[in-house]
Amino acid sequence: MAAGGSRGDPLALEPEPEPEPIPAAGRWGDQEPTLQYKILRGHSDTVSSCHFCSEDTKILSCSYDRTVKLWVCYEYNNDKKQHIHAVFIVIFRVVTSSYDNTVKAWDMETGKMLVGIVTSCNISWDGKYVVSGSDKGNAIFVFDAVSATVVAHVQGHHRSTITRCCFDPDNQRVTSVSYDKTIKLWDMTTRSTLVTINEGHSNAISDCCFTSDGRYLCTASWDKSLKIWDIKTGEFRCHEPISLNQGHEGSVSSCVFSQDASLVVSGGYDKTIAIWETDAGYKKLSLKGHCDWVTDVAISENKKWILSASKDSTLRLWNIEKMDHIPSVIESRKEKGSKITQCEECEKPFLSLQCGDFEMISKCVFCRLSSPVTRILPLPPSISPDF
């Protein structure tokens, strides 16, 4: 079942809609090199965020319909075909943020609200802290996740609305992005802003995410681009970011790294999801199907599934396990002159592309970001990063 009910009754249950039929070309288990997907229906308004959790066995979604839904997904075989089903289950605590200027923690067993706080939020990787961004004063708040007491409050952190804030994997820094086009890294130990990037994007920055080791940061913007930044202390200001362009026809709303950082997934207001090959810095595949803006994206740890949330009130679960066999992906690699090569610095294999008149790239994107050489992937003429 799916979670429903009003704001005061978040755990009320409603009948699950009948499973959405899958077009013949995209049925689970088909041997044809086509993309397989499943539509998850249950929200009655824009789905604002989505996440994989519990080792990719469950999906968490939030919506403007004032509900949080936890989906349990499982696959089964029937008539030699593979199917997927989603049901709702209640098992743990959830922290939600809302445009009503509150962050609330819910006991999912009782349905009772545990804490009342402020807007968009993120939980530290060790589960000890919650950070939230507030429209009031463009501030960030850091709370103790257990007692809900304020650990830190930074007033006027940005000049405009904070669109996203998150902890790095070491739980030492809080990164925030804003409509004011800036990126800021705030240190939990020194209680100060360590880094401010003022001119990385030419329009509002909508989202940001870290690699699992915390060294690299990806930002998504309304300027239709994404950028990957090497934020290692002492080297950050020496290197320009890698820019991922021509993936969306409109503003980019969201971004996420895969667990091994080999892929970046982004969602856009053009109703599509883009999958980027991080090493080569190019769009590998575009997923189409949503009827309205894509508001959030997620990728499973095993890189088999991509999850997307949309203003069309649905989530889509995409099976990308066999995307390398899709004709358009194969053709794109041929056109770009790609091949698997060994990075001359870290000696790891990566997908290398022939970039116009440039020589074949000999270093992976992460070693290029750490190298003092001039960037290989050019930035748009209208953008000139200057820290």
Side-chain angles (χ1 to χ4, degrees):
M1 288 186 175
S6 65
R7 181 188 303 181
D9 186 19
L11 298 182
L13 301 182
E14 60 187 31
E16 180 194 3
E18 290 297 317
E20 180 76 13
I22 305 291
R27 280 196 293 253
W28 302 98
D30 283 354
Q31 298 303 309
E32 300 175 16
T34 55
L35 200 65
Q36 305 168 342
Y37 65 91
K38 173 67 180 178
I39 301 175
L40 303 182
R41 301 185 185 276
H43 286 291
S44 60
D45 205 340
T46 298
V47 185
S48 55
S49 61
C50 60
H51 302 275
F52 285 103
C53 54
S54 302
E55 298 180 345
D56 298 336
T57 61
K58 300 176 181 65
I59 290 170
L60 189 66
S61 62
C62 299
S63 170
Y64 288 3
D65 64 12
R66 302 178 182 178
T67 67
V68 178
K69 299 182 189 291
L70 182 66
W71 307 80
V72 177
C73 297
Y74 58 92
E75 297 175 77
Y76 64 93
N77 293 315
N78 184 20
D79 298 329
K80 298 182 180 180
K81 294 177 183 178
Q82 193 176 26
H83 301 265
I84 192 167
H85 196 52
V87 296
F88 176 80
I89 188 171
V90 178
I91 57 168
F92 56 61
R93 294 182 180 183
V94 169
V95 176
T96 62
S97 61
S98 169
Y99 284 170
D100 66 4
N101 295 324
T102 64
V103 167
K104 296 178 181 179
W106 302 89
D107 185 321
M108 298 297 282
E109 293 182 354
T110 65
K112 294 181 178 179
M113 186 183 72
L114 302 176
V115 186
I117 318 174
V118 212
T119 52
S120 66
C121 63
N122 177 252
I123 302 175
S124 61
W125 294 55
D126 60 9
K128 294 181 179 180
Y129 300 101
V130 175
V131 62
S132 66
S134 173
D135 246 358
K136 186 177 181 180
N138 304 316
I140 59 171
F141 292 81
V142 179
F143 299 89
D144 183 289
V146 177
S147 66
T149 56
V150 177
V151 175
H153 170 212
V154 186
Q155 187 73 15
H157 193 50
H158 285 271
R159 299 187 306 275
S160 187
T161 300
I162 296 172
T163 53
R164 171 75 165 144
C165 55
C166 63
F167 286 96
D168 72 349
D170 294 329
N171 308 303
Q172 295 300 310
R173 293 172 294 184
V174 172
T175 294
S176 58
V177 293
S178 168
Y179 286 165
D180 66 10
K181 312 175 191 177
T182 66
I183 305 164
K184 294 197 175 190
L185 275 73
W186 187 83
D187 187 79
M188 288 282 290
T189 303
T190 64
R191 296 292 196 270
S192 63
T193 301
L194 297 180
V195 174
T196 298
I197 304 175
N198 290 313
E199 299 182 15
H201 286 280
S202 63
N203 207 331
I205 303 174
S206 52
D207 198 8
C208 62
C209 62
F210 282 100
T211 51
S212 58
D213 62 4
R215 179 168 182 175
Y216 301 99
L217 178 75
C218 182
T219 54
S221 172
W222 290 4
D223 65 13
K224 306 180 185 180
S225 76
L226 299 100
K227 295 185 187 295
I228 300 174
W229 309 81
D230 180 356
I231 56 173
K232 183 177 180 181
T233 303
E235 295 185 8
F236 175 76
R237 288 178 170 82
C238 302
H239 314 293
E240 293 181 345
I242 294 294
S243 187
L244 305 179
N245 301 301
Q246 300 179 346
H248 293 278
E249 295 179 359
S251 300
V252 186
S253 62
S254 52
C255 61
V256 63
F257 278 109
S258 62
Q259 181 69 22
D260 62 2
S262 64
L263 297 176
V264 172
V265 181
S266 60
Y269 291 162
D270 60 0
K271 311 175 188 178
T272 71
I273 301 100
I275 304 173
W276 304 83
E277 193 80 51
T278 313
D279 286 334
Y282 87 106
K283 186 179 73 171
K284 186 173 185 176
L285 185 64
S286 184
L287 307 180
K288 301 178 180 179
H290 281 293
C291 302
D292 213 324
W293 297 351
V294 175
T295 54
D296 198 15
V297 290
I299 184 169
S300 61
E301 290 190 11
N302 61 9
K303 298 193 299 184
K304 180 178 178 180
W305 308 100
I306 283 178
L307 181 65
S308 58
S310 173
K311 191 180 176 184
D312 65 13
S313 305
T314 70
L315 298 102
R316 288 195 177 221
L317 188 61
W318 311 81
N319 186 333
I320 61 168
E321 191 174 22
K322 298 180 180 179
M323 70 174 171
D324 286 333
H325 302 296
I326 294 176
S328 61
V329 175
I330 297 172
E331 186 61 29
S332 178
R333 281 186 172 179
K334 288 181 179 179
E335 290 177 358
K336 296 179 183 298
S338 65
K339 68 175 184 179
I340 302 297
T341 187
Q342 186 179 47
C343 176
E344 65 178 27
E345 189 166 322
C346 67
E347 298 184 347
K348 294 180 179 179
F350 74 99
L351 181 66
S352 179
L353 298 180
Q354 181 74 43
C355 295
D357 296 329
F358 294 99
E359 296 180 357
M360 185 69 76
I361 297 171
S362 60
K363 294 182 181 180
C364 69
V365 66
F366 301 113
C367 289
R368 297 203 303 274
L369 281 169
S370 303
S371 172
V373 298
T374 305
R375 68 180 185 275
I376 296 176
L377 297 179
L379 294 169
S382 59
I383 305 175
S384 180
D386 181 16
F387 309 118

